[in-house]
């Protein structure tokens, strides 16, 4: 009986691992395809502008008249935007391949949360959102890449608001599960089932993010933030219940 149970358990574990790999592979494949589509879309505008403005400046040069300052400014802006799009795409590709550098620092979890809440307050998606911040346990230290943890926190806030479909009352609080500090982001007005992590609904798409981020918007979609948290030794989880929808960022504890 024990041998049979062990064999059954092994088959279940193997099947579960296979399912996880399939889901992860599907997420990477979907994100890669979306990245290509977004690149083709987001690069078209600045590169088109570069071509038109370059022709105009070349024409004025042939006439031996100086280019208008506004034309040069527009050209510089188009080049800058195209470079931002490419930089974002390179970073995302390195994340998908697992090669993105992680620079961990020991920092208070509250620094990440408070900075993210301050930035999010300026973002369009955060308008008319009520926030309840429970500061208990906020002095806990975590060991993470600050920039990546902050953009993951912004992503969690954004996704929590989007899932509320315009009815958002966000509660942020901490819990301790050694060796982790958990940051919980709850939308207490969202009652429908939690969206899958690879859902392509608004708030979980790369479209509009490459080179166009505004203050308070995450650099990544939900799938990329999940990978970032894993790279830092933590994870990103979802759950749902009568209390609303929960997104949890689990971050490794720092040294006491």
């Amino acid at each position: 009986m024990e041998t049979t149970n062990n064999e059954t358990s092994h088959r279940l574990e193997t099947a579960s691992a296979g399912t996880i790999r399939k889901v992860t592979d599907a997420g990477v494949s979907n994100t890669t395809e979306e990245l290509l589509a977004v690149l083709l879309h987001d690069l078209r505008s600045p590169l088109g502008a570069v071509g038109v403005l370059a022709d105009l400046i070349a024409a004025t040069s042939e006439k031996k008249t100086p280019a208008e300052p506004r034309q040069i400014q527009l050209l510089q802006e188009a080049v800058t935007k195209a470079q931002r799009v490419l930089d974002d795409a390179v970073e995302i590709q390195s994340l998908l391949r697992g090669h993105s550098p992680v620079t961990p620092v020991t920092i208070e979890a509250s620094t990440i949360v408070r900075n993210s809440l301050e930035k999010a307050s300026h973002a369009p998606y955060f308008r008319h959102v009520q926030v309840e911040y429970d500061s208990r346990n906020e002095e806990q230290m975590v060991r993470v890449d600050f920039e990546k943890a902050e953009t993951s926190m912004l992503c969690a806030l954004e996704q929590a608001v989007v899932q509320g479909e315009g009815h958002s009352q966000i509660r942020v609080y901490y819990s301790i599960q050694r060796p982790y500090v958990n940051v919980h982001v709850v939308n207490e007005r969202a009652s429908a089932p939690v969206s899958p992590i690879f859902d392509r609904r608004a708030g979980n798409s790369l479209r509009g993010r490459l080179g166009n981020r505004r203050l308070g918007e995450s650099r990544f979609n939900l799938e990329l933030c999940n990978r970032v948290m894993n790279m830092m030794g933590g994870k990103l989880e979802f759950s749902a219940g009568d209390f609303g929808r929960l997104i949890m960022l689990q971050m490794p504890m720092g040294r006491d």
Side-chain angles (χ1 to χ4, degrees):
M1 179 66 73
E2 182 178 352
T3 302
T4 302
N5 288 340
N6 288 340
E7 290 176 353
T8 302
S9 176
H10 176 71
R11 285 198 298 270
L12 289 173
E13 290 175 0
T14 302
S16 177
T19 301
I20 292 171
R21 280 195 295 271
K22 287 179 182 178
V23 171
T24 303
D25 291 343
V28 171
S29 177
N30 288 341
T31 302
T32 301
E33 291 177 6
E34 187 181 12
L35 175 60
L36 177 59
V38 172
L39 268 176
L40 294 175
H41 178 271
D42 289 358
L43 278 177
R44 183 179 302 171
S45 174
L47 291 181
V50 168
V52 171
L53 291 166
D55 289 342
L56 287 174
I57 292 173
T60 58
S61 177
E62 289 178 359
K63 296 177 182 179
K64 296 183 179 180
T65 56
E68 295 183 10
R70 179 57 178 165
Q71 292 178 344
I72 296 176
Q73 180 185 353
L74 290 173
L75 179 61
Q76 292 172 333
E77 290 175 355
V79 170
T80 299
K81 180 177 179 179
Q83 188 61 57
R84 284 202 307 265
V85 171
L86 289 173
D87 289 344
D88 284 354
V90 168
E91 182 179 15
I92 290 171
Q93 187 66 11
S94 67
L95 281 170
L96 293 174
R97 293 178 176 176
H99 297 155
S100 181
V102 174
T103 308
V105 295
T106 301
I107 190 171
E108 285 188 352
S110 61
T111 302
I112 299 168
V113 174
R114 289 182 179 276
N115 280 15
S116 299
L117 287 172
E118 169 60 27
K119 290 183 177 180
S121 67
H122 299 282
Y125 73 87
F126 220 68
R127 292 171 185 162
H128 311 300
V129 173
Q130 297 178 357
V131 179
E132 178 188 343
Y133 175 52
D134 187 342
S135 61
R136 286 174 293 183
N137 291 318
E138 73 169 0
E139 74 283 355
Q140 290 291 329
M141 307 297 289
V142 294
R143 181 84 176 162
V144 294
D145 183 304
F146 176 77
E147 186 179 14
K148 285 182 169 59
E150 185 180 73
T151 202
S152 297
M153 182 67 194
L154 287 172
C155 184
L157 290 168
E158 181 179 354
Q159 185 67 13
V161 171
V162 168
Q163 288 185 353
E165 299 177 351
H167 304 284
S168 297
Q169 182 170 322
I170 304 298
R171 185 162 68 96
V172 180
Y173 64 96
Y174 306 88
S175 68
I176 308 302
Q177 185 182 351
R178 294 185 181 277
Y180 301 104
V181 175
N182 300 324
V183 180
H184 304 270
V185 181
V186 185
N187 189 335
E188 297 183 324
R189 293 186 180 176
S191 57
V194 176
S195 301
I197 192 169
F198 304 124
D199 186 5
R200 291 300 163 205
R201 64 185 292 172
N204 194 28
S205 171
L206 291 175
R207 184 174 295 278
R209 295 180 189 273
L210 301 192
N212 293 305
R213 290 184 310 278
R214 289 167 290 188
L215 182 63
E217 295 178 334
S218 174
R219 301 203 312 277
F220 308 136
N221 65 0
L222 209 53
E223 156 62 6
L224 291 171
C225 287
N226 182 52
R227 297 179 70 82
V228 164
M229 294 303 298
N230 290 338
M231 290 171 61
M232 294 190 296
K235 60 183 177 181
L236 188 153
E237 289 189 343
F238 302 84
S239 62
D242 295 336
F243 54 81
R245 297 183 187 179
L246 167 68
I247 301 176
M248 183 185 79
L249 301 179
Q250 188 175 79
M251 295 183 279
M253 278 186 166
R255 293 183 293 271
D256 293 331

